[in-house]
Amino acid sequence: MSKPGSLLRIVLTNETFIGLEVGQGNAAGQAVEDIARQPEAEGKIRGTLLLNLAFLEALTIYGLVVALALLFVNPFV
């Protein structure tokens, strides 16, 4: 028998990860557009993009840790 609310937890964590991946896609797409508009600023744009993607990936990992904690540990006991 599954825990009550476990399906809700799974759905919410999946939505979190989907949202983060959409954010990464939007950031990369915007960076490509900016490089196309200003090729001379490619180095600065690429550096900023990589830093932002690293922060987003770290946020995704923290979300995974929280999701696993919510799935396997009942914090409300």
Side-chain angles (χ1 to χ4, degrees), residues 20 24 49-62:
L20 288 169
Q24 286 181 347
L49 172 69
L50 290 177
L51 182 65
N52 287 332
L53 289 178
F55 284 136
L56 282 172
E57 199 62 36
L59 186 62
T60 304
I61 293 170
Y62 289 140

Side-chain angles (χ1 to χ4, degrees), residues 8-56:
L8 177 64
R9 292 176 186 166
I10 292 171
V11 169
L12 290 177
T13 54
N14 283 339
E15 287 180 4
T16 302
F17 294 128
I18 290 171
L20 288 169
E21 296 303 319
V22 167
Q24 286 181 347
N26 286 341
Q30 191 65 40
V32 169
E33 286 180 19
D34 291 343
I35 290 172
R37 275 191 230 132
Q38 289 185 325
E40 66 275 2
E42 178 183 2
K44 289 180 113 176
I45 294 170
R46 183 180 294 160
T48 304
L49 172 69
L50 290 177
L51 182 65
N52 287 332
L53 289 178
F55 284 136
L56 282 172

